[in-house]
Amino acid sequence: MSANVEDLDWLLKYAEKRGFDYIEARHHALKIQDFNILNGLTTSVNQSESAGFSLRVVKDNIIYFFSSPSKEKIKEDLEYFHPLSARPWSNSFGKVEDIFVGEYKVTQKTPLDLVSLGEKIKFMKNVMKDVEGIKISSKILSFELIYIELFEKKDIITSDGASVHSEIPRVWNMYSIVMREGDRSINAFSDELGSAGGYEVLNSWNLQEYLSEKVKSFNEVIAKAKATPSSISDIVLSGQIAGIIAHESAGHPFEADRVLGREGAQAGMSYLTGRDIKSDRHFASESVSVVDDPTLPYSMGFFLSDDEGVRARRKFLIKDGMISELLYDRSTSSSFGVKSNGSVRTSDFTAEPIIRMSNTFFLPSSITFDEMIEDIREGVFIKSFMEWNIDDLRWSQRYVGLEAYEIKQGELGSPVLFPVFEANTGQIYNSIVAVDNNLSFYAGMCGKGEPSQGVPVWMGGPDLRLRGLSLKKLGD
Amino acid sequence: MDKVLDKLRKSCDSFSLILLDNKSTMIKFADSKVTVVQRWKTSPVSLLLSRKNKFLTTTFSTIHEMDTNLESLNEKLNLLEPTDMTPIISNNDRTIKVDYSDKELEYYLKEPNKLVEKILDSAEMPLYGTLNLVKIRKRVFTSYGFQGDETRSFNVSYFRSIDKGRSGQWSNVSSIFNESEIIEAVKKSKEYASIDGEAQIEEGKHDIVLSPMVLANLVEIIGLMSSAYSIMSSMSFLAKSKEGDIVASEKFTLWDMAKNDLVGSYNFDDEGTLTYNKPIIEHGVLRTFLFNNSLAKKFNKKSTGNAGWVDPKPWSLQVDGGDADEGSLTDGNVIFFNNNWYTRLQNYYEGQFSTVGRDAVIAYKNGKPIGRVKRVRISDKLSVIIKNLVELSKTTYKQMWWEVETPTRVPFALIKDVMLTKS
């Protein structure tokens, strides 16, 4: 038994004497190394290490959460503990059958600590130098690269027998670039490159080439893009936009705690609130299936046990256009008369375990992109986006295209300037007439809870073809 | 502590060490019931080490962890290359010790039961929200011998009343416990949720009234964009302007408040510089960006006491009130936004953004409310919001909630010709 597990066992046993209905103890360590390169200068180099305990207990259906780096301070709080006068929101806090007992780790082919910090900074500076050296007509006003590596180690035990040890390294790369030509400017910020694994994942992205192509493409947009066409038959959205749509308008509103109103004052509720999802299941066109799957190897949202000690699995949120299941924890599953499907995560030892997405994406089909667009006479393909948002019921959405191109007679044409796609969830999901076979994933940090906690996720999907919706011009 | 400081003095050219001691209790509500009671006792440590124009910043959960890692951090620092952006510690060897904590607030931090009962009893509609009670001690030690020690306590509460598809929200933040202000936030959320009817509006330009919750959210972004780091990285619409330029309506004055009863205020910054209140924008004129020592050197200015070792930040923000009574702002044909969320910038350099209206977006015709407007966005530029501002209420309100992380005191604001879109 490791030192951390001994401490957790000590906390659990102490809490058991206090007569709680459910007890969950966690030791959570997070080591982060990050740096920023701005216009060739190293502006920050940071190392952070957080490690500590959390204890979650349930008494008469009210959840109490204690957190401290010191187990003794948690014990002090338990000694002082007075339950609130009962007005519990939760109906019950269920025991589960799919308890996880064991350990899992993501392997690093090139361990992150084998490569020195100096080498990592030098690599990024060289990437920046190469990209800034590209000949383009517009001026790069600012270029920032951000490198982050995270190593997360967790031990969790519960009063109903779960025992989990996990170790997950992750590498994440972000960039921001501001370019100007004449009276047009562009500001791209991207956090899409992220994976679980060792230093090898950074090499797999081929950053020089990737960012060089991006800068050339942004230059094309501000130098040559035409106004958004007013009349089109079809909109094609890339896997990147499919990903954010899946995350924002399928993942979040399918969180059972949000459906039941637990996040009502913060991130809002869901268009599914009040709907009988067992009998009223039609949701989207038959081409649409959306899953949340934490078991994808090397994904940002990878886990095999959730933070309530429940075994993780792929969840179909939408299957062939029909509502299939929500994301549940031990508390909300009982309200819906189902079992928890292991959807709980936390960001660090100070964070309360709550329902979170992992890797949320549209499932692909077998047709190619060319086959999917070959009969589009006039349309627009939006490849990447800048601004996006969605209302707190997850219904009214907006995405502003960054790299976008007209489609003429089944082929991609000139760039289109910042098309605005504003539509509601029902319109979007029912207008999807085809999806292709290009499944791609994009990293992100998903925020939820109070205090807000960010957890790493992947979002993704194939390219989507939508019929019958229109685009707006920026400023209209 | 002395041993740790001695070790730091010997190991590097300069350092800044920040110790926080945080005790807090947070209770979350949904449907007038308690969803969770959260209790934290944490003591995170941040350390800046620099040597020969090289630097490293670190954070640890405890001072013991930091001490254990000090040798390896110094080895890491040795292997780095020098950079022009190395933070500079202020030449200040003063000692400051202040305690602004409120005993009543500390009592409820330990025993929140009665307060929770009062909040839930005061709800006239299903209530959602958060009560957060905090006591925090911040200590800063620098290699120049500066020792700052400041203790504050505060509560942040925000409530959303939801009934029959309608909602209203209000927030309150205070460093002095005031039960009636908390209960008033519950009642105000219910008042906004009670406004009935539905109104349709066309996409396009409208005159809008922003409640303090919305103005606080947008002002927070402007405050962060006034950081010299945002200017250097062109991630701000203010990057096109210089001090003395007119960037807003003459009615608009935005302060960075370090000496304040708002909770984000401190007497000293992270480099050991003493802080002070300053206008960022005064009667529409850009007065200053926010600097730490190294960015001040780069811009040939003096530190404004806003370190942030890397990125300077406002302490708390304030927009001065105007001449108008609150009620008079909605006298004409306007769209009133009680709350907003999910503000996203499309282009920081242009300040192009959109934000989603929430919790009572009300259409007024000839000064009379004609109903709630659903699914509407403000889709414009931040510069338009502060340039087209024509009236401000006399009364200002302290705001902080999920979408306003910097404590901010602001009035209601009437703004002309703002683009609204729908979906």
Side-chain angles (χ1 to χ4, degrees):
Chain A
M1 193 185 276
S2 74
N4 289 338
V5 177
E6 280 175 27
D7 289 338
L8 294 180
D9 203 44
W10 179 83
L11 271 174
L12 189 93
K13 285 198 167 74
Y14 187 79
E16 275 175 344
K17 288 179 192 160
R18 310 282 301 187
F20 294 109
D21 306 324
Y22 169 78
I23 306 158
E24 174 188 289
R26 171 167 50 106
H27 184 271
H28 198 154
L30 197 60
K31 192 171 172 179
I32 301 173
Q33 175 78 68
D34 62 274
F35 59 84
N36 287 33
I37 313 287
L38 172 64
N39 302 332
L41 283 177
T42 308
T43 54
S44 85
V45 184
N46 180 61
Q47 180 175 322
S48 78
E49 291 187 40
S50 73
F53 298 91
S54 76
L55 184 76
R56 201 165 62 135
V57 297
V58 179
K59 180 78 179 166
D60 299 329
N61 287 329
I62 291 187
I63 300 167
Y64 300 87
F65 174 82
F66 305 96
S67 170
S68 178
S70 152
K71 67 179 196 292
E72 281 79 16
K73 284 190 176 165
I74 292 180
K75 182 173 171 265
E76 273 171 29
D77 270 340
L78 285 180
E79 281 166 5
Y80 190 75
F81 176 79
H82 299 295
L84 284 192
S85 307
R87 289 204 200 188
W89 175 82
S90 181
N91 291 326
S92 69
F93 205 83
K95 288 188 176 180
V96 291
E97 290 159 17
D98 253 355
I99 290 292
F100 189 98
V101 178
E103 66 172 55
Y104 60 92
K105 295 176 183 180
V106 171
T107 54
Q108 304 181 57
K109 286 174 194 155
T110 308
L112 289 165
D113 54 12
L114 208 67
V115 184
S116 76
L117 179 60
E119 273 181 73
K120 289 167 187 167
I121 293 173
K122 196 172 168 188
F123 173 78
M124 282 294 170
K125 281 193 167 176
N126 284 335
V127 168
M128 181 167 275
K129 203 172 169 186
D130 285 355
V131 175
E132 283 179 333
I134 296 167
K135 287 190 177 154
I136 48 172
S137 60
S138 51
K139 183 178 167 58
I140 296 179
L141 296 178
S142 167
F143 184 18
E144 186 163 24
L145 281 175
I146 303 160
Y147 171 88
I148 303 174
E149 62 185 41
L150 313 94
F151 189 79
E152 186 176 27
K153 205 160 103 174
K154 277 187 273 193
D155 286 287
I156 300 162
I157 60 172
T158 66
S159 53
D160 58 356
S163 173
V164 187
H165 175 82
S166 65
E167 294 181 17
I168 304 177
R170 297 183 181 92
V171 179
W172 198 18
N173 189 225
M174 289 179 263
Y175 67 88
S176 118
I177 188 157
V178 184
M179 292 165 61
R180 187 176 68 193
E181 180 158 344
D183 59 356
R184 283 183 181 175
S185 70
I186 205 166
N187 179 189
F189 178 84
S190 178
D191 55 1
E192 63 204 39
L193 300 169
S195 278
Y199 197 66
E200 67 280 357
V201 301
L202 185 72
N203 292 326
S204 73
W205 295 330
N206 204 354
L207 270 177
Q208 269 100 337
E209 196 181 322
Y210 181 85
L211 289 169
S212 298
E213 288 307 313
K214 281 283 175 196
V215 166
K216 285 181 202 166
S217 174
F218 300 156
N219 183 62
E220 283 280 293
V221 170
I222 47 176
K224 297 179 184 167
K226 297 174 174 178
T228 303
S230 52
S231 173
I232 50 171
S233 62
D234 293 78
I235 299 166
V236 178
L237 304 174
S238 72
Q240 188 191 26
I241 299 159
I244 192 89
I245 288 175
H247 181 92
E248 300 292 358
S249 59
H252 275 308
F254 278 62
E255 294 162 348
D257 54 347
R258 191 188 296 264
V259 174
L260 293 172
R262 193 182 196 260
E263 298 297 315
Q266 292 87 25
M269 289 152 84
S270 166
Y271 51 76
L272 294 178
T273 300
R275 179 168 173 166
D276 181 356
I277 57 169
K278 282 184 185 161
S279 60
D280 183 11
R281 293 179 56 224
H282 174 75
F283 183 79
S285 81
E286 284 181 5
S287 308
V288 175
S289 290
V290 178
V291 300
D292 185 85
D293 190 350
T295 66
L296 295 182
Y298 302 102
S299 61
M300 281 291 267
F302 174 78
F303 59 88
L304 296 180
S305 164
D306 82 351
D307 288 354
E308 290 185 332
V310 179
R311 188 171 295 278
R313 63 168 172 84
R314 172 176 280 204
K315 279 93 56 176
F316 270 86
L317 308 182
I318 302 164
K319 194 170 191 180
D320 303 326
M322 307 293 276
I323 293 169
S324 180
E325 64 178 317
L326 306 181
L327 301 173
Y328 296 110
D329 60 2
R330 287 174 182 256
S331 167
T332 56
S333 53
S334 57
S335 298
F336 285 90
V338 296
K339 290 175 185 168
S340 170
N341 49 21
S343 303
V344 171
R345 261 200 301 168
T346 55
S347 60
D348 58 61
F349 78 93
T350 66
E352 178 200 10
I354 52 174
I355 295 174
R356 308 305 303 263
M357 275 174 271
S358 57
N359 308 299
T360 316
F361 55 101
F362 286 85
L363 290 182
S365 76
S366 56
I367 62 166
T368 66
F369 180 78
D370 288 344
E371 287 168 344
M372 190 174 72
I373 68 164
E374 66 186 4
D375 62 338
I376 297 177
R377 284 195 301 161
E378 284 185 312
V380 169
F381 170 53
I382 306 180
K383 188 180 172 188
S384 60
F385 67 97
M386 301 178 283
E387 171 195 325
W388 82 99
N389 56 32
I390 187 163
D391 74 2
D392 61 308
L393 285 179
R394 302 281 157 179
W395 190 251
S396 159
Q397 310 177 40
R398 173 183 170 99
Y399 308 91
V400 179
L402 172 55
E403 297 162 279
Y405 305 90
E406 62 180 11
I407 303 171
K408 290 257 185 198
Q409 308 301 336
E411 291 191 353
L412 294 184
S414 304
V416 170
L417 190 67
F418 308 150
V420 179
F421 179 51
E422 215 166 350
N424 72 47
T425 298
Q427 291 167 337
I428 292 172
Y429 282 76
N430 282 288
S431 69
I432 297 171
V433 291
V435 303
D436 72 8
N437 61 358
N438 287 321
L439 178 58
S440 55
F441 293 103
Y442 302 86
M445 194 62 79
C446 173
K448 186 182 171 186
E450 177 70 303
S452 181
Q453 43 170 314
V455 295
V457 295
W458 265 2
M459 301 166 264
D463 302 296
L464 311 175
R465 178 176 168 181
L466 283 65
R467 183 175 295 155
L469 298 179
S470 57
L471 297 170
K472 298 172 185 174
K473 290 176 198 168
L474 194 68
D476 282 359
Chain B
M1 195 62 223
D2 287 343
K3 277 184 188 171
V4 171
L5 292 174
D6 269 350
K7 213 188 272 188
L8 285 170
R9 276 186 207 105
K10 285 172 191 161
S11 71
C12 59
D13 292 345
S14 65
F15 69 85
S16 171
L17 176 67
I18 303 175
L19 286 85
L20 295 177
D21 188 16
N22 168 53
K23 287 179 190 163
S24 53
T25 299
M26 178 186 280
I27 295 114
K28 286 179 68 179
F29 308 102
D31 195 18
S32 300
K33 293 165 188 156
V34 174
T35 61
V36 65
V37 180
Q38 302 184 80
R39 189 98 204 267
W40 295 273
K41 283 182 181 171
T42 56
S43 43
V45 178
S46 302
L47 172 67
L48 160 74
L49 285 173
S50 71
R51 185 186 309 126
K52 294 177 184 167
N53 285 331
K54 303 171 179 183
F55 82 101
L56 188 65
T57 61
T58 65
T59 58
F60 292 91
S61 304
T62 62
I63 187 87
H64 175 70
E65 274 180 39
M66 188 220 79
D67 196 21
T68 309
N69 279 281
L70 197 52
E71 205 172 313
S72 72
L73 292 173
N74 270 302
E75 281 170 21
K76 212 169 254 189
L77 183 63
N78 276 338
L79 297 172
L80 295 176
E81 284 184 9
T83 170
D84 283 351
M85 292 299 297
T86 302
I88 301 163
I89 303 303
S90 292
N91 184 0
N92 181 1
D93 60 359
R94 286 183 60 172
T95 297
I96 295 173
K97 186 168 185 179
V98 280
D99 186 343
Y100 300 116
S101 54
D102 179 332
K103 295 289 171 211
E104 194 176 6
L105 201 144
E106 281 181 59
Y107 167 77
Y108 285 112
L109 195 156
K110 287 179 187 163
E111 291 283 0
N113 209 345
K114 280 183 193 163
L115 184 58
V116 168
E117 284 295 311
K118 280 182 188 166
I119 288 168
L120 292 177
D121 287 347
S122 68
E124 295 170 52
M125 274 187 189
L127 188 73
Y128 300 73
T130 293
L131 171 71
N132 192 16
L133 302 146
V134 182
K135 183 177 181 186
I136 192 158
R137 181 183 182 197
K138 180 179 182 179
R139 285 178 286 167
V140 173
F141 301 87
T142 74
S143 45
Y144 269 95
F146 176 79
Q147 294 195 17
D149 185 340
E150 189 159 333
T151 303
R152 283 177 179 266
S153 53
F154 60 92
N155 74 79
V156 180
S157 46
Y158 60 85
F159 300 103
R160 192 180 194 199
S161 292
I162 306 178
D163 193 28
K164 296 171 188 161
R166 304 186 305 252
S167 62
Q169 184 151 341
W170 200 256
S171 82
N172 171 256
V173 50
S174 183
S175 53
I176 299 159
F177 185 77
N178 186 330
E179 187 184 290
S180 63
E181 278 186 0
I182 295 170
I183 301 302
E184 180 61 23
V186 175
K187 292 192 179 306
K188 234 173 153 115
S189 72
K190 181 250 169 187
E191 281 169 27
Y192 285 118
S194 304
I195 299 172
D196 219 341
E198 195 170 323
Q200 299 295 327
I201 62 161
E202 295 296 317
E203 286 194 337
K205 293 199 171 180
H206 292 263
D207 296 347
I208 63 173
V209 172
L210 302 182
S211 92
M213 268 193 294
V214 186
L215 191 61
N217 172 261
L218 300 182
V219 154
E220 178 181 39
I221 296 167
I222 295 170
L224 295 170
M225 281 189 177
S226 68
S227 153
Y229 192 90
S230 299
I231 303 303
M232 186 172 72
S233 58
S234 296
M235 294 292 279
S236 168
F237 71 100
L238 295 171
K240 300 191 199 83
S241 305
K242 56 185 187 308
E243 289 165 8
D245 286 355
I246 295 171
V247 295
S249 153
E250 64 171 12
K251 303 227 173 188
F252 185 76
T253 296
L254 172 64
W255 293 83
D256 167 51
M257 302 294 281
K259 309 277 190 187
N260 198 357
D261 65 339
L262 284 178
V263 299
S265 309
Y266 278 96
N267 281 289
F268 44 85
D269 77 0
D270 296 354
E271 292 173 338
T273 305
L274 300 186
T275 59
Y276 60 98
N277 297 342
K278 68 202 74 80
I280 298 167
I281 298 168
E282 189 173 30
H283 297 301
V285 179
L286 180 63
R287 288 297 179 209
T288 187
F289 299 122
L290 303 180
F291 295 105
N292 55 20
N293 284 324
S294 65
L295 281 160
K297 191 178 166 193
K298 204 164 183 58
F299 282 72
N300 201 22
K301 299 279 180 187
K302 282 185 180 168
S303 170
T304 54
N306 289 89
W309 294 320
V310 174
D311 188 357
K313 288 195 170 51
W315 295 104
S316 68
L317 292 162
Q318 177 175 302
V319 174
D320 284 350
D323 307 319
D325 293 325
E326 269 170 46
S328 70
L329 297 177
T330 52
D331 272 352
N333 299 329
V334 299
I335 312 299
F336 169 78
F337 284 79
N338 167 246
N339 199 10
N340 69 314
W341 98 305
Y342 227 129
T343 307
R344 284 291 182 275
L345 271 292
Q346 178 208 309
N347 185 330
Y348 283 76
Y349 185 64
E350 301 292 348
Q352 184 84 44
F353 76 101
S354 81
T355 188
V356 187
R358 162 172 163 167
D359 303 313
V361 179
I362 311 291
Y364 282 79
K365 196 169 183 182
N366 299 323
K368 299 234 165 17
I370 58 169
R372 305 169 82 92
V373 183
K374 285 187 175 172
R375 304 196 171 92
V376 62
R377 281 180 180 75
I378 303 170
S379 309
D380 215 313
K381 290 183 174 179
L382 289 167
S383 58
V384 169
I385 300 295
I386 55 176
K387 276 182 178 163
N388 291 11
L389 188 151
V390 290
E391 289 290 349
L392 292 163
S393 68
K394 287 176 200 162
T395 315
T396 57
Y397 295 86
K398 294 176 284 184
Q399 296 289 313
M400 196 174 173
W401 81 287
W402 215 58
E403 293 282 7
V404 183
E405 290 182 359
T406 309
T408 301
R409 187 199 299 266
V410 280
F412 286 82
L414 169 64
I415 300 161
K416 294 275 184 190
D417 294 331
V418 178
M419 176 62 71
L420 303 184
T421 62
K422 290 168 65 186
S423 65

